[in-house]
Amino acid sequence: MKNMFRTTVLLASLTGLLVLIGDYFGGTGGMIIAFLFAVIMNFGSYWYSDKIVLKMYRAREVTPAESPNLHKIVDGLALKANIPKPKVYVVDSGMPNAFATGRNPQHAAVAVTTGILNLLSFEEIEGVLAHELAHVKNRDTLISAVAATIAGVITMLATWARWAAIFGGFGGRDDDNGGIIGFIVMAVLAPLAATLIQLAISRSREFAADEEGARISKKPWALADALEKLEYGNSHFKPGIRDVQAKETSAHMFIVNPLKGGTLQSLFRTHPVTDERVKRLRAMRF
C-alpha cells in the first residue's frame, strides 16, 4: 500500500508538471492541448506498448513443445498468482535479463533472454518469472508505460519550446511569461524533473514486485540469488554481432538494469540498488 500510494503521488506529480508546462508555454489553450496530447499518447501506449517493445527486441513466442520447462514455470506461477497465463517469449541475446509487458493481466507477456536461460538454475528462473508476474498482477507494466509516456511528452514539449525560442519565441500565454528564469525552469528543469519522477516510479515498483514475486514463489532466496548473478552478468556482458541490445528508453522494463551506469548512475538509476533488493529478500520469511 505504501508503494502504491507513493506511485500514485508520483504519477499525479508527472501529470501536474505536464499541465504546468503546457500552461506556461501556451496559456490555458496550451494547457488543454498538452493534456489532450498526453491522453492521445497514453491511449496509444495502452493499446500498443506491448507490441512495440516485443518487436523492438525481436522477441519470438515459444510454445510448450519448444520450451517445456519455461512453460511449466509460468503455468505454476500464474496459478499461484491467480492471474491468466501470459504469453511466453524468448529474446535471442546473450544479455541475461527478463521483462514483462501488456496493458493488463488478460493481455500480458513475459520475455526472457537466451542469456538468462543459460545462466540461472530452474529455481532462480522461477524467482525471476515470479517477479515479472508480480508486475503483471500489480499492473506495473501499464503504470510504467503511462509514466514513460507522460515524461516523454514533457520532454518533447520542452524541446519544441527551446527550438521555438531559438527561431523567434513563442506566444499564446494569457499573462506575462515570467522572463528568462521561468523559461529555463520550464524548458530545461521540467523535463529533468519528469525523468527523475519516472525513474522514482520505476524503482518503487521494483521493490514491490520483488516482495510480491517472493510471496508468489515462496522462494525469496531464489530471486535473491538470481539478482546477484544477473547484476554481475549484465555488468560484464559484451554483446555479439547478433545479440539484441537493450535500449535506454526501455531499460526500466528489465528485472535488472541492462545498461552500464555513468557518473550520475545513482541519480538516474532505473532500478533500486541490487544489494538492497537482495538484503530485503533474504530477510523475508514464509
Side-chain angles (χ1 to χ4, degrees):
M1 289 299 296
K2 182 180 179 181
N3 274 323
M4 185 55 71
F5 176 75
R6 184 185 181 194
T7 300
T8 302
V9 170
L10 289 169
L11 278 173
S13 300
L14 265 181
T15 304
L17 188 58
L18 174 63
V19 171
L20 284 175
I21 197 171
D23 176 60
Y24 183 86
F25 289 122
T28 303
M31 179 176 63
I32 294 173
I33 290 172
F35 184 76
L36 290 176
F37 190 46
V39 169
I40 293 170
M41 292 288 287
N42 277 318
F43 180 82
S45 177
Y46 179 84
W47 286 102
Y48 302 111
S49 61
D50 56 336
K51 298 178 180 64
I52 292 172
V53 73
L54 289 169
K55 186 173 182 179
M56 179 190 303
Y57 288 107
R58 301 201 298 272
R60 54 185 174 86
E61 187 174 0
V62 292
T63 65
E66 293 172 308
S67 296
N69 285 339
L70 202 54
H71 275 272
K72 180 181 178 180
I73 292 173
V74 175
D75 282 333
L77 292 174
L79 185 63
K80 292 177 182 178
N82 194 29
I83 60 173
K85 179 185 176 182
K87 294 181 179 180
V88 181
Y89 288 80
V90 170
V91 176
D92 293 316
S93 175
M95 171 186 67
N97 230 312
F99 65 86
T101 186
R103 61 184 182 272
N104 56 39
Q106 290 72 37
H107 301 86
V110 291
V112 296
T113 65
T114 50
I116 201 173
L117 295 176
N118 293 329
L119 178 66
L120 303 186
S121 68
F122 183 93
E123 288 186 320
E124 289 166 348
I125 293 174
E126 186 180 18
V128 167
L129 288 174
H131 169 100
E132 296 306 331
L133 262 65
H135 276 312
V136 172
K137 183 177 181 179
N138 295 335
R139 298 178 185 263
D140 293 337
T141 49
L142 177 60
I143 291 171
S144 296
V146 170
T149 300
I150 295 177
V153 170
I154 291 173
T155 301
M156 189 184 303
L157 290 173
T159 301
W160 287 350
R162 289 195 294 269
W163 281 106
I166 292 172
F167 292 104
F170 46 85
R173 275 190 53 83
D174 297 332
D175 53 13
D176 188 76
N177 62 31
I180 189 63
I181 295 178
F183 175 78
I184 291 174
V185 169
M186 289 298 173
V188 180
L189 298 184
L192 176 60
T195 299
L196 293 177
I197 292 172
Q198 179 202 350
L199 296 179
I201 291 173
S202 176
R203 292 192 294 268
S204 177
R205 301 320 301 157
E206 288 303 315
F207 276 133
D210 283 347
E211 182 177 350
E212 180 67 21
R215 294 186 185 281
I216 292 172
S217 70
K218 298 294 190 293
K219 299 175 183 177
W221 53 267
L223 178 54
D225 289 347
L227 289 175
E228 289 178 330
K229 288 185 179 181
L230 293 174
E231 179 69 21
Y232 181 85
N234 278 272
S235 63
H236 291 79
F237 172 64
K238 294 181 179 179
I241 297 176
R242 296 184 178 181
D243 278 321
V244 177
Q245 299 185 44
K247 311 294 191 297
E248 187 175 351
T249 54
S250 55
H252 64 280
M253 296 182 59
F254 290 89
I255 188 168
V256 296
N257 189 354
L259 304 175
K260 296 178 176 65
T263 56
L264 296 177
Q265 181 180 11
S266 296
L267 186 61
F268 293 97
R269 185 182 290 273
T270 56
H271 296 67
V273 177
T274 299
D275 288 345
E276 178 60 27
R277 296 172 69 183
V278 169
K279 180 181 177 181
R280 294 189 183 195
L281 286 165
R282 296 204 187 284
M284 293 183 70
R285 296 290 183 270
F286 295 103

